[in-house]
Amino acid sequence: MTDLDRYIRQTTFPALGKEGQKKLLASKVLLVGCGALGSASAVSMVRSGIGHLIIVDQDIPELVNLHRQFLYDEENMKERIPKAIVAADKLAKMNSQVKIEPVVAELRSENIEKIAQGVNLVIDGTDNLQTRYLINDFCVKNNVPWIYGGVIGAFGMMMVIIPGKTACLRCLFPEPPAPGSLPSCETEGVLNPAPLLIAALEVMEAIKILIGSDKVKTGLTNIDLWEHTFSTVETKRNPHCPACGQNKYEFLDRKKTDWSTSLCGRNAVQLSPAEPVQLDLQSLKQRLEKIGKVSFNGYLLEADLEGLKIIIFPDGRAIISGTTDETKARSFYNRYLGR
Amino acid sequence: MSVAELVAHLGLKPGRVAVELNREVVPRDRHAEVRVEEGAVLEIVQAVGGG
């Protein structure tokens, strides 16, 4: 069968074989986020012959992405073409047997059911935890396996989630972190071997899941590449887990992702959390000071970052000036406030 | 001391961290009953969000 010729160096691996390869070619996978993790996992999945890949991403390649987001180059950065489109074009040249479907959008509770319809697996390449809680809700509810991957600095985590069998994200971390409490790649930096390695682990487990292997590695894998330490700890399902224990899908039902977004005045976007939060602006100031000009007057924090000006209030409300693009403003907010 | 008491003692929000005791994650609803014995290997992890 000529369709399989190009994969002979992997079908020769006995645990995969031609039967496994056929299963990969018949699989449909959703990749959420195509930055550093996503670039690496997309290339790996497309070259491996995972038959149908949907790539969701809302961003445009930028200069500060290029050190780690391997699908993009200087030309793409100047062209201002969305990452999902650039990625799909490049990936199509790597393997024309794979159907690649770019979606330029922010994955939200309103569109996830449509975008993820019929997928066999979801791979995590996002840059925020809010989206991961949404993915977790969708996957648990619809019995779709997904693979969590996250990185920061030279550190990364990976966990396979098979609804009904393994712990889910909320079994381990029932609540998402408070806004502003979580370090991000913007404030702590990231070295590209970390996302490369985590993406490689994600794809390896994806292949095992898609071919029905019994070798799928469960548990939470933690890797610190700077210290060169690797560990996987066992995880157990929490019978009281809001998602997989009690079937409460708060993120999918928008109870916790509902951000009221309104344009205020000229060239500015205002974002407010649906639920009131209490931000520690002093510690946020200390983190943001590493990367931009920040001032805090005791009532509100103002920062100049990436050519945008953001004003943050203690209740989580923010005004972002320098753009009228709500999606861009929300992405900016998520990155710097760690949502 | 229980896992829950330790998490509170460290000033951490219970729902937002996972506690690994002797290389196994302690389920959240068992934090109050599971004791941290002397010599236990303990790690407290927070989900990482970058990608």
Side-chain angles (χ1 to χ4, degrees):
Chain A
M1 187 163 174
T2 51
D3 273 4
L4 297 183
D5 287 353
R6 66 188 298 149
Y7 305 111
I8 191 155
R9 295 290 183 267
Q10 65 186 32
T11 54
T12 303
F13 183 73
L16 182 69
K18 287 185 179 173
E19 288 314 304
Q21 187 64 53
K22 286 179 193 167
K23 288 180 185 165
L24 291 184
L25 284 165
S27 299
K28 183 174 172 182
V29 171
L30 170 64
L31 169 63
V32 185
C34 200
L37 282 175
S39 283
S41 63
V43 170
S44 183
M45 287 190 284
V46 166
R47 290 184 185 271
S48 297
I50 285 172
H52 186 169
L53 183 66
I54 304 165
I55 301 173
V56 187
D57 195 287
Q58 62 186 3
D59 285 333
I60 290 169
E62 290 175 41
L63 183 66
V64 298
N65 300 151
L66 301 186
H67 86 279
R68 69 189 189 284
Q69 302 189 9
F70 286 13
L71 274 173
Y72 315 113
D73 58 40
E74 293 177 3
E75 211 168 293
N76 306 140
M77 183 194 82
K78 289 173 196 145
E79 291 163 346
R80 317 281 297 156
I81 297 171
K83 286 180 185 176
I85 304 295
V86 175
D89 286 351
K90 291 192 182 178
L91 292 163
K93 290 175 189 151
M94 295 174 198
N95 189 349
S96 58
Q97 285 184 357
V98 175
K99 181 179 177 189
I100 301 160
E101 215 180 313
V103 180
V104 182
E106 179 187 26
L107 193 74
R108 290 178 66 82
S109 54
E110 303 93 312
N111 61 17
I112 188 168
E113 309 258 1
K114 183 165 175 275
I115 291 170
Q117 196 178 21
V119 300
N120 304 107
L121 180 85
V122 179
I123 292 265
D124 178 7
T126 74
D127 61 359
N128 68 89
L129 281 168
Q130 202 72 19
T131 305
R132 292 178 172 103
Y133 279 85
L134 176 65
I135 295 170
N136 191 69
D137 268 6
F138 172 84
C139 287
V140 169
K141 185 180 176 185
N142 294 282
N143 201 24
V144 175
W146 77 281
I147 304 176
Y148 160 59
V151 295
I152 186 137
F155 178 82
M157 276 183 174
M158 192 274 299
M159 184 168 77
V160 167
I161 291 137
I162 300 176
K165 289 188 181 163
T166 70
C168 79
L169 185 68
R170 292 195 82 183
C171 289
L172 255 66
F173 307 104
E175 297 298 326
S181 70
L182 197 67
S184 71
C185 292
E186 278 68 27
T187 58
E188 308 300 310
V190 56
L191 303 186
N192 73 40
L196 286 177
L197 184 57
I198 294 298
L201 294 175
E202 285 186 89
V203 176
M204 190 73 263
E205 297 311 314
I207 288 171
K208 292 182 205 172
I209 292 168
L210 293 171
I211 69 170
S213 165
D214 58 6
K215 289 286 190 183
V216 176
K217 181 70 184 169
T218 58
L220 179 68
T221 299
N222 295 287
I223 298 177
D224 187 328
L225 280 164
W226 197 254
E227 299 295 335
H228 199 83
T229 55
F230 298 69
S231 70
T232 300
V233 293
E234 279 184 45
T235 55
K236 289 203 175 81
R237 287 187 67 195
N238 176 359
H240 303 298
C241 169
C244 76
Q246 301 176 50
N247 303 321
K248 285 186 202 153
Y249 306 112
E250 295 158 287
F251 300 89
L252 201 55
D253 296 340
R254 301 192 60 209
K255 284 184 188 133
K256 291 200 173 178
T257 53
D258 193 4
W259 295 73
S260 54
T261 308
S262 59
L263 293 172
C264 65
R266 290 191 318 272
N267 203 25
V269 175
Q270 177 173 289
L271 298 172
S272 308
E275 293 179 312
V277 295
Q278 196 58 44
L279 286 182
D280 180 358
L281 292 178
Q282 191 60 46
S283 69
L284 185 62
K285 174 176 180 269
Q286 284 167 5
R287 283 216 313 286
L288 295 178
E289 267 172 347
K290 295 182 206 165
I291 44 172
K293 190 168 156 249
V294 186
S295 62
F296 176 54
N297 64 7
Y299 300 96
L300 56 86
L301 185 150
E302 286 188 80
D304 286 313
L305 303 161
E306 294 178 24
L308 296 179
K309 192 179 197 67
I310 183 166
I311 301 172
I312 306 164
F313 299 85
D315 63 356
R317 187 165 60 90
I319 296 169
I320 295 159
S321 31
T323 183
T324 52
D325 181 339
E326 292 184 17
T327 303
K328 183 181 174 187
R330 194 179 296 117
S331 162
F332 180 89
Y333 183 99
N334 287 344
R335 265 182 292 151
Y336 288 102
L337 279 92
R339 289 292 277 200
Chain B
M1 187 185 268
S2 70
V3 169
E5 285 164 348
L6 181 77
V7 168
H9 178 73
L10 294 171
L12 300 167
K13 294 263 192 247
R16 292 176 180 152
V17 293
V19 179
E20 298 167 4
L21 184 63
N22 299 323
R23 317 209 44 72
E24 203 175 286
V25 174
V26 182
R28 169 78 183 89
D29 61 326
R30 296 197 60 222
H31 282 195
E33 61 189 82
V34 173
R35 315 294 302 174
V36 182
E37 307 292 347
E38 201 175 326
V41 179
L42 195 86
E43 199 166 342
I44 295 176
V45 293
Q46 189 178 35
V48 289

Coordinates of all heavy atoms in Angstrom, one line a residue, chain A residues 34 68 76 103 112 129 147 149 154 196 241 246 249 282 301:
Chain A
C34 N -0.9 27.3 19.0 CA 0.2 26.9 18.1 C 1.4 27.8 18.4 O 1.8 28.5 17.5 CB -0.2 26.8 16.7 SG 0.9 25.8 15.7
R68 N 11.4 30.4 20.2 CA 10.9 29.1 20.7 C 9.7 28.5 19.8 O 9.4 27.4 20.0 CB 10.4 29.2 22.1 CG 9.2 30.1 22.3 CD 8.9 30.3 23.8 NE 7.6 30.9 24.1 CZ 7.4 32.2 23.9 NH1 8.3 33.0 23.4 NH2 6.2 32.7 24.2
N76 N 7.3 35.8 8.3 CA 5.9 35.7 8.9 C 5.6 36.8 9.8 O 4.5 37.3 9.9 CB 5.7 34.4 9.6 CG 6.1 33.2 8.8 OD1 6.7 32.2 9.3 ND2 5.8 33.2 7.5
V103 N -7.9 27.2 12.3 CA -9.0 28.0 12.8 C -8.4 29.2 13.5 O -7.7 29.0 14.6 CB -9.9 27.1 13.8 CG1 -11.1 28.0 14.3 CG2 -10.4 25.9 13.1
I112 N -16.2 25.9 21.3 CA -15.4 24.6 21.5 C -16.2 23.4 21.0 O -15.6 22.5 20.3 CB -14.9 24.4 22.9 CG1 -14.0 23.2 23.0 CG2 -16.1 24.2 23.9 CD1 -13.2 23.1 24.3
L129 N -4.1 28.9 31.6 CA -4.8 27.8 32.3 C -6.3 27.9 32.1 O -7.0 26.9 32.2 CB -4.4 27.8 33.8 CG -3.1 27.1 34.1 CD1 -2.6 27.4 35.5 CD2 -3.1 25.6 33.8
I147 N -4.4 15.7 26.4 CA -3.0 15.7 27.0 C -2.7 17.1 27.4 O -2.5 18.0 26.6 CB -2.0 15.1 26.1 CG1 -2.5 13.7 25.6 CG2 -0.6 15.0 26.7 CD1 -1.6 13.0 24.6
G149 N -0.1 19.9 28.7 CA 1.3 20.2 28.7 C 1.4 21.6 29.0 O 0.6 22.5 28.6
A154 N 12.7 26.7 32.4 CA 13.2 25.4 31.8 C 12.5 24.2 32.4 O 13.0 23.1 32.4 CB 14.7 25.3 32.1
L196 N 9.9 22.0 23.7 CA 10.2 20.9 22.7 C 10.1 19.5 23.4 O 9.5 18.6 22.8 CB 11.7 21.0 22.2 CG 12.0 22.1 21.2 CD1 13.4 22.2 20.8 CD2 11.1 21.9 19.9
C241 N -14.4 15.4 42.5 CA -13.9 16.3 41.5 C -15.1 17.0 40.8 O -16.1 16.3 40.4 CB -13.1 15.6 40.4 SG -12.8 16.6 38.9
Q246 N -18.5 15.0 39.6 CA -19.8 15.5 39.8 C -20.5 16.0 38.5 O -21.6 16.5 38.5 CB -19.8 16.7 40.8 CG -19.3 16.3 42.2 CD -19.2 17.5 43.1 OE1 -20.1 18.2 43.3 NE2 -18.0 17.7 43.7
Y249 N -19.8 21.3 34.8 CA -18.8 21.9 33.8 C -18.9 23.4 33.8 O -19.4 24.0 32.9 CB -19.2 21.3 32.4 CG -19.2 19.8 32.4 CD1 -20.3 19.0 32.3 CD2 -18.0 19.0 32.7 CE1 -20.4 17.6 32.3 CE2 -18.0 17.7 32.8 CZ -19.2 17.0 32.6 OH -19.2 15.6 32.7
Q282 N 0.7 45.0 44.2 CA 2.1 45.2 44.6 C 3.0 44.1 44.0 O 4.0 44.3 43.5 CB 2.2 45.3 46.1 CG 3.6 45.8 46.6 CD 3.9 47.2 46.1 OE1 3.1 48.1 46.1 NE2 5.1 47.3 45.6
L301 N -2.7 50.1 38.9 CA -1.3 49.8 38.3 C -1.3 50.2 36.8 O -2.3 49.8 36.1 CB -1.0 48.4 38.6 CG 0.4 47.8 38.2 CD1 0.7 46.7 39.1 CD2 0.4 47.3 36.8

